[in-house]
Amino acid sequence: MWPFVGKAQPERFSSVKAWRGTFIAKAHRYTSDAIAPGGQKLGSLVVSYDSYFTADFLLDEFEDDPAIWRGRILKASLDADYRGVKNQVIDQEDGNTLYQEEFFNTSGRPDFGVQPVVELLFHRERGWSLNMSTPRRDAELTEKMVLTTKKGPMLREQTQRIISASAETGTETRAYPARGLILFAGAEKSEGARSIPGEIAGDIVWEYTAYLEPAAMEELRLEIDEPTDYPIWRPSTTATAKAGKPLVVTAKVVSVTGGNPQTRVERFIWELQGTSREPGVTLNFPVDATDDRLDLELDADGAFFVLKDKKQTMERAVQAGWADTVKVVPYDWGGWSTLQVTAVLVDGRRVTGTVKGKGDRGLRIPKRTPDSHIADGWKAEHEGGADNLDDDKIAGQKHDGDGFSLYEEYRGWIVAGQHAGGDPQKKDFFILDMTGGAAAKGIELFKALSQLTVHSELKPAEMSTATRLMNGNHRRGARQVDQHGVVISHEGNGPGGYNVGIEGADKSKAGRPKEVQWVFVEQHHENGLFAAKSSAEYHLSESDTARVYDRGVAHELLHSVGVDHHGEQKWTLLRAAFQGASAPLNPTGRARFTTGFSLHTSQIDKRDDFKESRGETITLLWEDTKADVAAESVAAHQSELAKVLARNRSAEGVAQYTEIAAKMAKLGITKDAAFWTEYDADRLASMDATRGIRVGHAGGTDSGDEECVMRYYFADAYKIPGRENAYYLIRPVPGSTHAGLGICRSPDGTGTNGEPYFRFGAAAGGRGNCFGDICPND
């Protein structure tokens, strides 16, 4: 028996045999604030949390004392998406910072425990309330801590643990409706705050709606039609954040038995739930964006509608019919949300929208799986997988990934004023070219050799020269790491030619983009002076000289993506002093090169160590003919010798060398003026024979594959195997050295590093697979 007859007018409910209803609870928290840890040192705190819980139930069991209806849950879902970031200065003097991040995402049917309970309670004069078992859904909470010092960032700790996301479970006691049988509690807020799982986020307040109607009433559905372009639609915008192509969505109230309902619709309420607030419009534009504008908004055609809540809610009064249409307008390339709709009928009944043919509460925008923020259509065209996936592969390269998550590849960048999406099957790399186009051909060569997808058309407004971050605009979208680009310019700290500034580099020049402070190239357009210098100094062929500037650009850019030289040891500069056969410091009686010095007669009175500085003999043989270089030098300077002798034997010369003979006698060398006249003539005439020789080393920077752009071509001599102080000298003619335009995949020596010369041999151990070492991933 109904127990409250006559006490609070609830007797009209005695005719109800069963109830059907819906409970909807949503929680949202977004903060982006400066904080003062300990009240002293400033930092920043970002918390973004969205959760949405729905449950449809049927109550068909009645207990009359107390008056309680019980039943079962027919359908339920719980979506929770959270990210919290705390970044604070922990050492003001040294600038050390501690970055903490935690995040989780979960979606699906929750667990209500062993015996799920839903209860509708009538509280005599006070009213009614609804309670249910606590819905819970497990999620993996990822927690990261990164310490950044002057030496750079260092991952201190990354852990995963299982947490349980839950939702609001019921209403406060509500007064009975003045008339009718509809029980409704709308937009109520929970009295007690609930804590988001994790250490950073803090508390949230749930907003809930409860709706119950007698099961005997006409059962209605509000069906959301998936738009024709829904499978391929994705959010878009412009560099100036203008509205992108909207998604137009229609919903219609229908009777479950078919046809139109018996009751007229009073109004439709459309809502965007959990809309993203990613800064900027892409990962890099505007640079260092901090806005928190909602990425999707509602709009509509026609009349009688009102936009509210920053265009996240649209209400339209219905004049006739049972359907309505809304526009979802994007302002970001990576935005997401869930579109909910409710129809309010003139008799007070409320119907919540479900996707036609699927029953999902609300329409996910864009079309995507519950655990993803990426449009399904884009994944179908490119690659599927988790939003944080970063496994871009290039066959033959040892390291996968380019530092950009799948979501980041999807959201993309602004390059030269236009949107550029990533390709998750390729590796993206970014270059801000400040050379005015001088480096363009070298960048193209780098692109061809590395097989990276190189974005080098960036404008200065599209990459910060201070941070060089190419994914700095982020809040909740999945990411792996701060990923950098590089800047190439005519300014840097290099000594000239080409250079790359690798932060913390010691012996190695290989780095990753985050470590590359600058890439420097000389200001020689169209090869000009640099080509001429290379041809004269390094004896390159005409064809090699034409591309040497481009080769240098590609070489330095490869350093910025993990590629090292073919060896640690550069060439050694050896000074080979020429001595004629009659030189007083030459004990061999024949022309030679020596590690000592040629005695300058003009400095005799300033040197007292020449007796101990005879030096060791250096044997230099021409590489191609094996002829002795010193012997050839004697023959080559005979005509010059005759000119100098004539000058030295003049009256003025005889007086000069008579004085020199006297000085030398005091030092213990008793030679007459005629001897010194001939000696000094020989020395002066053969000055061009004294050489500064760049001796390359086996397994050094000039070793390995001769075609590789990472191989140096600067050495002009190499050791003769099995002999001390003996070297093959490369003949200084165009084409005797080679500057390749390829990239090696093996350490083997090729060209002159192979047969028949074996100049510098194979690359050093662990080197010589330059293509395999390419890694743009920070």
Side-chain angles (χ1 to χ4, degrees):
M1 169 182 279
W2 189 256
F4 304 146
V5 175
K7 294 190 177 181
Q9 298 182 347
E11 61 271 15
R12 65 181 182 274
F13 296 113
S14 62
S15 63
V16 178
K17 305 302 181 183
W19 298 86
R20 61 171 172 258
T22 301
F23 183 81
I24 300 174
K26 56 186 178 182
H28 170 75
R29 184 181 177 198
Y30 172 75
T31 59
S32 182
D33 305 316
I35 60 172
Q40 297 176 352
K41 300 165 185 176
L42 289 177
S44 62
L45 175 69
V46 176
V47 173
S48 185
Y49 182 80
D50 281 291
S51 188
Y52 193 78
F53 167 67
T54 66
D56 294 340
F57 50 84
L58 178 66
L59 309 179
D60 55 4
E61 299 175 11
F62 179 68
E63 180 180 324
D64 62 1
D65 192 13
I68 300 175
W69 285 92
R70 293 190 177 92
R72 63 191 182 277
I73 294 173
L74 302 176
K75 183 171 59 176
S77 66
L78 173 61
D79 300 335
D81 189 2
Y82 162 66
R83 182 173 180 266
V85 173
K86 186 173 167 182
N87 196 13
Q88 66 187 84
V89 179
I90 60 174
D91 191 319
Q92 199 80 39
E93 184 174 344
D94 292 336
N96 295 346
T97 61
L98 184 64
Y99 173 86
Q100 296 174 263
E101 180 183 20
E102 55 186 28
F103 53 89
F104 70 82
N105 179 286
T106 187
S107 180
R109 181 178 176 85
D111 180 9
F112 291 89
V114 178
Q115 293 182 322
V117 174
V118 184
E119 296 180 332
L120 169 62
L121 296 88
F122 289 91
H123 305 279
R124 296 186 181 273
E125 297 88 354
R126 291 186 294 119
W128 62 275
S129 65
L130 181 75
N131 296 299
M132 68 179 63
S133 302
T134 300
R136 298 184 180 278
R137 184 166 177 83
D138 287 344
E140 185 177 77
L141 177 71
T142 300
E143 300 167 299
K144 294 171 64 175
M145 294 182 67
V146 178
L147 178 67
T148 300
T149 67
K150 291 180 179 178
K151 294 182 178 180
M154 175 181 63
L155 181 64
R156 265 192 169 181
E157 185 179 3
Q158 178 166 323
T159 59
Q160 284 84 29
R161 59 188 175 94
I162 299 300
I163 51 89
S164 186
S166 60
E168 184 57 74
T169 58
T171 71
E172 300 298 317
T173 300
R174 298 279 300 174
Y176 297 116
R179 61 181 182 275
L181 300 176
I182 304 298
L183 300 178
F184 175 66
E188 302 290 327
K189 292 189 177 180
S190 58
E191 288 188 355
R194 293 179 180 269
S195 177
I196 302 172
E199 304 297 328
I200 297 175
D203 293 335
I204 54 171
V205 175
W206 284 87
E207 183 179 288
Y208 62 85
T209 297
Y211 174 80
L212 296 99
E213 66 182 22
M217 296 184 74
E218 180 188 21
E219 188 175 356
L220 303 177
R221 286 198 300 261
L222 176 55
E223 296 180 336
I224 305 172
D225 287 328
E226 292 187 349
T228 303
D229 58 344
Y230 183 54
I232 60 172
W233 184 90
R234 63 156 300 172
S236 62
T237 183
T238 67
T240 55
K242 293 182 180 178
K245 179 185 177 182
L247 184 69
V248 181
V249 183
T250 298
K252 183 178 181 181
V253 181
V254 297
S255 170
V256 295
T257 58
N260 295 326
Q262 300 172 9
T263 308
R264 186 172 62 84
V265 178
E266 178 185 89
R267 68 186 189 276
F268 285 93
I269 305 171
W270 296 89
E271 297 176 277
L272 287 174
Q273 296 288 342
T275 304
S276 60
R277 298 171 181 259
E278 297 301 287
V281 297
T282 60
L283 299 173
N284 70 316
F285 196 83
V287 167
D288 300 327
T290 58
D291 68 277
D292 60 357
R293 175 179 178 170
L294 292 154
D295 296 331
L296 299 168
E297 295 178 357
L298 294 177
D299 200 358
D301 294 326
F304 310 112
F305 70 87
V306 177
L307 294 170
K308 301 188 296 184
D309 305 325
K310 297 183 179 179
K311 298 184 180 180
Q312 298 297 289
T313 302
M314 191 270 279
E315 290 193 25
R316 191 196 303 262
V318 178
Q319 300 301 299
W322 291 271
D324 193 31
T325 299
V326 73
K327 294 179 181 179
V328 181
V329 184
Y331 292 91
D332 190 281
W333 283 92
W336 69 85
S337 188
T338 299
L339 179 64
Q340 313 284 348
V341 60
T342 301
V344 181
L345 279 62
V346 293
D347 62 2
R349 300 175 66 186
R350 302 174 74 90
V351 188
T352 304
T354 57
V355 179
K356 185 177 181 179
K358 297 181 179 178
D360 295 341
R361 291 278 183 193
L363 186 71
R364 283 187 289 275
I365 309 292
K367 187 177 190 298
R368 56 193 171 86
T369 57
D371 60 350
S372 176
H373 299 140
I374 302 173
D376 287 351
W378 186 88
K379 284 187 176 182
E381 184 179 350
H382 294 86
E383 181 176 332
D387 282 17
N388 63 355
L389 181 69
D390 178 25
D391 66 348
D392 317 63
K393 294 178 176 62
I394 294 179
Q397 293 182 2
K398 304 171 189 175
H399 309 284
D400 294 339
D402 57 8
F404 298 108
S405 69
L406 193 64
Y407 170 77
E408 289 174 323
E409 304 262 16
Y410 160 74
R411 190 180 182 209
W413 305 269
I414 294 294
V415 177
Q418 301 298 317
H419 180 257
D423 186 337
Q425 297 181 6
K426 299 179 180 178
K427 298 179 183 179
D428 290 284
F429 183 67
F430 292 84
I431 300 172
L432 179 59
D433 181 8
M434 305 288 283
T435 67
K441 291 182 180 179
I443 293 172
E444 285 301 311
L445 177 59
F446 166 76
K447 179 179 178 180
L449 296 177
S450 67
Q451 296 184 23
L452 301 177
T453 300
V454 179
H455 305 273
S456 58
E457 303 82 17
L458 288 166
K459 296 179 179 180
E462 296 164 358
M463 180 197 285
S464 165
T465 55
T467 65
R468 298 182 291 102
L469 275 177
M470 291 310 299
N471 59 352
N473 296 344
H474 71 97
R475 189 162 285 130
R476 279 172 62 192
R479 74 197 307 266
Q480 290 282 3
V481 68
D482 283 350
Q483 182 62 37
H484 298 74
V486 301
V487 179
I488 185 168
S489 72
H490 297 314
E491 298 180 3
N493 296 328
Y498 309 90
N499 218 306
V500 57
I502 305 291
E503 183 180 0
D506 185 10
K507 296 179 181 179
S508 172
K509 282 244 178 173
R512 299 288 173 84
K514 68 179 178 182
E515 301 161 341
V516 178
Q517 298 169 322
W518 37 261
V519 177
F520 169 75
V521 293
E522 281 190 22
Q523 198 166 0
H524 296 323
H525 190 55
E526 295 299 332
N527 299 322
L529 298 176
F530 194 84
K533 174 185 174 184
S534 297
S535 177
E537 186 171 353
Y538 303 120
H539 320 305
L540 301 175
S541 67
E542 184 178 348
S543 60
D544 281 1
T545 301
R547 292 299 302 275
V548 71
Y549 191 83
D550 306 333
R551 181 187 192 277
V553 171
H555 177 105
E556 300 305 332
L557 288 172
L558 283 164
H559 276 320
S560 75
V561 291
V563 184
D564 214 333
H565 295 133
H566 285 189
E568 288 289 345
Q569 194 170 12
K570 297 181 181 178
W571 47 263
T572 301
L573 183 61
L574 175 66
R575 183 179 180 276
F578 179 81
Q579 292 179 340
S582 61
L585 299 183
N586 184 354
T588 65
R590 56 181 175 80
R592 71 165 184 167
F593 289 98
T594 176
T595 58
F597 55 79
S598 295
L599 186 64
H600 289 233
T601 55
S602 62
Q603 297 178 333
I604 289 174
D605 57 345
K606 300 176 183 177
R607 301 290 296 267
D608 58 4
D609 60 344
F610 67 89
K611 291 182 180 179
E612 289 77 31
S613 301
R614 295 178 182 274
E616 297 180 359
T617 297
I618 300 174
T619 300
L620 294 181
L621 304 181
W622 289 116
E623 176 191 53
D624 52 353
T625 64
K626 306 300 186 286
D628 185 79
V629 178
E632 281 194 7
S633 298
V634 171
H637 76 271
Q638 290 304 309
S639 60
E640 183 65 23
L641 176 62
K643 296 178 185 178
V644 179
L645 275 173
R647 186 180 67 239
N648 287 359
R649 288 169 178 169
S650 66
E652 183 181 352
V654 170
Q656 176 185 353
Y657 286 104
T658 299
E659 183 182 349
I660 288 173
K663 289 181 179 180
M664 294 299 288
K666 292 179 181 179
L667 296 174
I669 301 178
T670 56
K671 300 287 186 179
D672 60 16
F675 171 85
W676 291 113
T677 298
E678 294 185 8
Y679 164 78
D680 210 30
D682 182 68
R683 180 186 65 80
L684 291 170
S686 62
M687 284 290 285
D688 64 332
T690 295
R691 299 171 179 271
I693 301 171
R694 297 181 295 267
V695 178
H697 302 277
T701 51
D702 288 72
S703 66
D705 189 340
E706 196 176 54
E707 294 299 324
C708 183
V709 297
M710 299 310 293
R711 186 192 76 88
Y712 277 1
Y713 50 86
F714 305 142
D716 52 20
Y718 55 100
K719 291 182 178 180
I720 298 175
R723 297 178 62 177
E724 291 292 328
N725 295 324
Y727 305 91
Y728 285 126
L729 191 63
I730 300 169
R731 194 173 293 278
V733 296
S736 61
T737 57
H738 178 51
L741 294 173
I743 190 165
C744 67
R745 298 172 185 251
S746 164
D748 295 342
T750 68
T752 56
N753 286 337
E755 294 183 5
Y757 296 117
F758 299 103
R759 285 179 181 172
F760 311 108
R767 306 287 180 92
N769 179 6
C770 292
F771 183 78
D773 289 337
I774 293 172
C775 180
N777 191 338
D778 280 338

